[in-house]
Amino acid sequence: MRHDKLERELRLLLMLIENHHYTVSDICDRQQISRRNFYYYLEFFRDAGFIVEHVKPYYRIAKESPFFRKLDAAVHFTEDEAITMRQILEKTGDQGPTVQRLMQKLDKLYDLQIVNNVELREQLSRNVNTLYEAIKQKRVVVLRRYSSPHSNSERDRVVEPFLFMNGNREIRCYELDSAMNKTFKLSRMDDVEMLELLWSNEQKHRSMFTDVFMFSGEKTMTVVLRLGRLSMQVLGEEYPKAERFIEPDGEGHWRVEMPVCSYIGIGRFVLGLFEDIEVLGDDAFKLFINNKIELLNTKRL
C-alpha cells in the first residue's frame, strides 16, 4: 500500500538528514532495501527538491534544502526570541524538571553560547531588540565599544543597520565614518544606542552574498557553462548548493547559469575539468580563464 511506501521513504529521509555515520551498505541493511532502490530513492528526493550531498563514503540530505528552510521558518524562533523565552523561564523561579529541560533545549538548539552568563545574555537581547527597532524606524545607532580583532582596538561605531545575518549573530551596516558597508558581530558590541538621526545613505546599503564556492562579496557576476557528464556530477557532489542551477541541455550535457562573487572558485573548477566544460559566458570570465591558461603555459616553459 502507498502509506507503507511513504513510511519507508520517511524513515530513509530521517536517516539521511545530516548523515555522518552510515555508508550505503549500512543504510540498505537497516532499511532493508536494495542498493538499486536506494539510488532510486535518492533521485526521488532530488526531484522533490531536497539537496542530496555525497561526501564519500556518506550520502546525506542537506539542511539547506528548501523544504527544511520552510519548516525552519515555520517552527523555529529567531535567536532574540529564544533568548527572551529563556529569560521568561528563568524569571518564573520554577526549578522543576520541565522548566530545566526547556532551558536546556533552547541552549542546545540555538547555540546561545552564553548560558551561564545571565547578564551578558540579557544585554545581547537588548542589543538585538534595539537594532530591530532601528531597522524598522530607519534610524542611526552607535555600537558602543565594538571590539575589532583586525585593528586590536575597541571603539564606538556610528552606523546605519539594515540587515540581520547568520541567525541574528551578525548585522550588516553602513558605517558613516568609513562610508563603507560592513558586517558586525553582535558578540563584539557592549551596547547599542539608537539615535534620533535618520538614515541618509539608504541608496548606498549593500547586502553581502556568498556563492556556492564560498566566496563572498557585495556584487555578483553571472557565469554560464555547458557541462559534460563528468563535470556535472563533480559539481553536484562537491558543491551541492549548485544543483539548483543545473539544467539538462541536450543529450549528455547540462547548462549551468549561476551567480558568483569571485571568478577564483569557479575558475578552479573549470580549469580542473577543462576538457569537459564549455565556457559560454560572461566575457570577463572567459578573459579570466584565458589569462589563467596563458599563465600556466608560461610556467611550464
Side-chain angles (χ1 to χ4, degrees):
M1 295 178 66
R2 174 58 194 167
H3 70 269
D4 294 332
K5 185 177 180 182
L6 178 60
E7 182 181 355
R8 204 159 48 240
E9 291 164 352
L10 290 174
R11 286 202 309 266
L12 178 58
L13 185 64
L14 288 172
M15 196 172 193
L16 288 171
I17 294 172
E18 291 297 301
N19 172 42
H20 296 282
H21 306 289
Y22 302 115
T23 64
V24 174
S25 297
D26 294 333
I27 293 172
C28 291
D29 290 342
R30 287 173 175 265
Q31 298 294 329
Q32 296 184 337
I33 58 176
S34 66
R35 294 178 73 94
R36 179 179 179 182
N37 280 341
F38 172 74
Y39 290 113
Y40 166 79
Y41 281 125
L42 289 186
E43 287 303 312
F44 170 77
F45 291 145
R46 288 192 182 100
D47 292 342
F50 291 97
I51 298 173
V52 179
E53 296 181 341
H54 184 203
V55 181
K56 293 181 179 180
Y58 308 114
Y59 281 93
R60 59 176 178 249
I61 301 292
K63 287 185 177 179
E64 292 80 13
S65 299
F67 173 82
F68 293 129
R69 289 201 300 268
K70 291 178 182 178
L71 183 64
D72 183 79
V75 302
H76 274 205
F77 301 104
T78 61
E79 186 164 303
D80 65 304
E81 290 171 338
I83 292 171
T84 301
M85 288 179 64
R86 202 182 192 291
Q87 288 175 345
I88 293 171
L89 292 172
E90 285 174 345
K91 291 176 181 178
T92 62
D94 187 344
Q95 298 298 315
T98 301
V99 171
Q100 294 301 312
R101 283 198 303 271
L102 283 172
M103 289 196 292
Q104 289 170 5
K105 285 183 178 180
L106 287 171
D107 297 335
K108 182 178 179 181
L109 286 172
Y110 295 93
D111 192 23
L112 300 182
Q113 297 179 340
I114 48 175
V115 60
N116 294 321
N117 192 330
V118 176
E119 182 179 351
L120 183 58
R121 184 164 57 248
E122 291 179 349
Q123 182 63 55
L124 176 60
S125 180
R126 286 195 295 271
N127 290 348
V128 171
N129 290 333
T130 301
L131 289 166
Y132 264 125
E133 285 300 314
I135 292 174
K136 284 191 279 188
Q137 298 179 34
K138 297 188 175 183
R139 300 262 289 277
V140 175
V141 303
V142 182
L143 308 180
R144 295 294 184 190
R145 295 171 294 282
Y146 185 82
S147 176
S148 173
H150 299 293
S151 59
N152 194 26
S153 64
E154 191 177 89
R155 63 184 179 87
D156 293 348
R157 305 291 189 98
V158 182
V159 301
E160 297 178 2
F162 59 88
L163 179 67
F164 278 98
M165 301 169 59
N166 191 21
N168 293 353
R169 292 179 177 85
E170 299 176 332
I171 187 152
R172 190 73 174 159
C173 305
Y174 180 84
E175 187 178 40
L176 302 188
D177 286 347
S178 64
M180 294 174 62
N181 289 284
K182 296 182 178 181
T183 302
F184 296 93
K185 294 185 180 296
L186 271 75
S187 60
R188 294 179 184 170
M189 54 188 75
D190 277 0
D191 194 13
V192 179
E193 179 186 351
M194 185 162 58
L195 305 180
E196 295 295 329
L197 188 64
L198 295 175
W199 292 353
S200 59
N201 300 279
E202 187 171 0
Q203 73 281 2
K204 298 178 183 177
H205 294 180
R206 299 289 184 271
S207 298
M208 181 67 74
F209 303 96
T210 301
D211 62 27
V212 300
F213 300 93
M214 301 309 294
F215 282 84
S216 298
E218 293 181 3
K219 297 180 180 180
T220 61
M221 300 82 70
T222 299
V223 170
V224 185
L225 307 174
R226 190 167 191 256
L227 309 180
R229 188 173 302 277
L230 174 61
S231 53
M232 181 275 294
Q233 291 176 342
V234 171
L235 181 64
E237 291 179 358
E238 295 191 4
Y239 305 97
K241 292 182 180 180
E243 285 194 356
R244 61 193 175 106
F245 300 108
I246 303 174
E247 297 180 352
D249 187 30
E251 183 66 26
H253 288 88
W254 288 262
R255 178 184 172 90
V256 174
E257 184 173 343
M258 77 169 82
V260 296
C261 298
S262 169
Y263 290 142
I264 296 175
I266 195 168
R268 291 170 181 164
F269 168 74
V270 169
L271 291 171
L273 295 161
F274 192 72
E275 294 180 353
D276 199 52
I277 298 175
E278 181 182 357
V279 179
L280 302 179
D282 60 6
D283 289 341
F285 183 58
K286 289 181 179 179
L287 180 61
F288 175 88
I289 291 296
N290 286 331
N291 288 339
K292 287 291 184 182
I293 293 172
E294 289 181 8
L295 182 60
L296 289 172
N297 288 330
T298 301
K299 285 186 175 182
R300 287 187 185 129
L301 295 178

